[in-house]
Amino acid sequence: KTGKKFYRHVSEGGWPFSTSAHGWPISDCTSEGLKGLLVLKRKKCISEWKDAPKMTDQRFFNACNVLLTLQNFDGGFATYENNRGYGWYESLNPSETFGDIMIDYS
Protein backbone atom coordinates (compact mmCIF):
# COMPACT_ATOMS: atom_id res chain seq x y z
CA LYS A 1 0.00 0.00 0.00
CA THR A 2 0.98 3.63 -0.37
CA GLY A 3 1.06 4.00 3.42
CA LYS A 4 4.22 1.90 3.54
CA LYS A 5 5.97 4.00 0.92
CA PHE A 6 4.78 7.41 2.09
CA TYR A 7 3.80 7.89 5.71
CA ARG A 8 0.33 9.22 6.36
CA HIS A 9 -1.52 9.03 9.63
CA VAL A 10 -4.39 6.56 9.84
CA SER A 11 -7.63 8.12 8.63
CA GLU A 12 -10.15 5.29 8.24
CA GLY A 13 -12.90 5.89 10.80
CA GLY A 14 -12.06 9.55 11.28
CA TRP A 15 -14.36 12.48 10.70
CA PRO A 16 -13.07 15.62 8.95
CA PHE A 17 -14.06 19.19 9.74
CA SER A 18 -15.96 19.62 6.49
CA THR A 19 -16.80 16.98 3.86
CA SER A 20 -15.28 13.55 3.36
CA ALA A 21 -13.28 15.00 0.44
CA HIS A 22 -11.30 16.96 3.06
CA GLY A 23 -9.69 13.67 4.05
CA TRP A 24 -7.90 14.73 7.25
CA PRO A 25 -9.57 13.37 10.38
CA ILE A 26 -9.88 15.74 13.31
CA SER A 27 -10.00 14.49 16.88
CA ASP A 28 -12.85 16.79 17.98
CA CYS A 29 -15.04 15.94 14.98
CA THR A 30 -14.32 12.22 15.25
CA SER A 31 -15.20 12.08 18.94
CA GLU A 32 -18.39 14.10 18.45
CA GLY A 33 -19.44 11.97 15.45
CA LEU A 34 -18.75 8.76 17.35
CA LYS A 35 -20.71 9.94 20.38
CA GLY A 36 -23.65 11.02 18.21
CA LEU A 37 -23.78 7.70 16.36
CA LEU A 38 -23.60 5.70 19.58
CA VAL A 39 -26.60 7.64 20.90
CA LEU A 40 -28.53 7.32 17.63
CA LYS A 41 -27.86 3.59 17.34
CA ARG A 42 -29.93 2.96 20.49
CA LYS A 43 -32.93 4.99 19.31
CA LYS A 44 -35.98 2.99 18.31
CA CYS A 45 -36.67 5.18 15.27
CA ILE A 46 -33.21 4.34 13.89
CA SER A 47 -33.21 0.63 14.76
CA GLU A 48 -36.59 0.18 13.05
CA TRP A 49 -35.62 2.19 9.95
CA LYS A 50 -35.37 -0.34 7.11
CA ASP A 51 -33.00 1.69 4.90
CA ALA A 52 -30.83 3.05 7.70
CA PRO A 53 -27.11 3.29 6.88
CA LYS A 54 -25.12 0.46 8.43
CA MET A 55 -23.56 1.28 11.78
CA THR A 56 -21.32 -1.74 12.22
CA ASP A 57 -19.11 -2.30 15.24
CA GLN A 58 -16.07 -2.14 12.93
CA ARG A 59 -16.88 1.46 12.04
CA PHE A 60 -16.99 2.35 15.75
CA PHE A 61 -13.72 0.51 16.35
CA ASN A 62 -12.10 2.43 13.47
CA ALA A 63 -13.21 5.75 14.96
CA CYS A 64 -11.81 4.74 18.36
CA ASN A 65 -8.56 3.69 16.70
CA VAL A 66 -8.19 7.11 15.05
CA LEU A 67 -8.77 8.83 18.39
CA LEU A 68 -6.29 6.64 20.24
CA THR A 69 -3.64 7.21 17.59
CA LEU A 70 -4.11 10.99 17.89
CA GLN A 71 -3.26 10.95 21.60
CA ASN A 72 0.00 12.69 22.42
CA PHE A 73 2.60 11.46 24.91
CA ASP A 74 1.36 13.97 27.51
CA GLY A 75 -2.12 12.39 27.42
CA GLY A 76 -3.77 15.21 25.48
CA PHE A 77 -5.14 14.97 21.98
CA ALA A 78 -3.86 16.63 18.86
CA THR A 79 -6.21 18.23 16.36
CA TYR A 80 -4.88 16.86 13.08
CA GLU A 81 -1.80 14.82 13.89
CA ASN A 82 0.33 13.81 16.84
CA ASN A 83 3.00 16.08 18.15
CA ARG A 84 6.01 14.60 16.38
CA GLY A 85 8.07 17.75 16.40
CA TYR A 86 10.10 19.81 18.81
CA GLY A 87 9.56 23.19 20.39
CA TRP A 88 12.43 24.69 18.43
CA TYR A 89 10.36 24.25 15.26
CA GLU A 90 8.55 27.43 16.32
CA SER A 91 11.67 29.42 15.47
CA LEU A 92 11.08 28.40 11.84
CA ASN A 93 7.55 29.83 11.86
CA PRO A 94 7.34 32.32 8.96
CA SER A 95 4.09 33.83 10.23
CA GLU A 96 4.16 36.82 12.56
CA THR A 97 0.41 36.70 13.08
CA PHE A 98 0.03 33.10 14.25
CA GLY A 99 2.23 31.78 17.01
CA ASP A 100 2.69 28.19 18.13
CA ILE A 101 1.46 26.71 14.84
CA MET A 102 4.43 24.62 13.74
CA ILE A 103 3.47 21.54 15.77
CA ASP A 104 0.05 20.34 16.91
CA TYR A 105 -0.03 20.83 20.67
CA SER A 106 -2.40 19.00 23.04
Side-chain angles (χ1 to χ4, degrees):
K1 287 189 170 183
T2 306
K4 293 180 181 181
K5 187 174 180 183
F6 304 105
Y7 180 78
R8 178 160 180 202
H9 197 84
V10 61
S11 61
E12 184 179 8
W15 289 54
F17 185 68
S18 59
T19 65
S20 61
H22 179 266
W24 292 99
I26 298 174
S27 59
D28 301 13
C29 299
T30 301
S31 60
E32 291 166 1
L34 176 61
K35 182 178 178 182
L37 286 177
L38 287 171
V39 170
L40 282 175
K41 188 175 182 176
R42 293 189 219 131
K43 296 290 183 184
K44 187 176 180 181
C45 61
I46 298 296
S47 63
E48 292 177 352
W49 181 17
K50 292 178 184 177
D51 296 327
K54 300 281 187 216
M55 288 188 260
T56 63
D57 288 343
Q58 186 60 49
R59 294 184 85 173
F60 296 122
F61 295 146
N62 290 344
C64 290
N65 183 52
V66 168
L67 290 173
L68 291 173
T69 62
L70 286 172
Q71 189 169 18
N72 284 325
F73 289 112
D74 64 2
F77 288 87
T79 309
Y80 285 97
E81 60 183 28
N82 303 63
N83 183 344
R84 295 184 190 96
Y86 303 97
W88 62 264
Y89 287 3
E90 295 300 341
S91 63
L92 303 173
N93 184 355
S95 172
E96 293 180 9
T97 306
F98 304 106
D100 298 332
I101 63 167
M102 297 301 288
I103 56 177
D104 204 351
Y105 297 94
S106 294

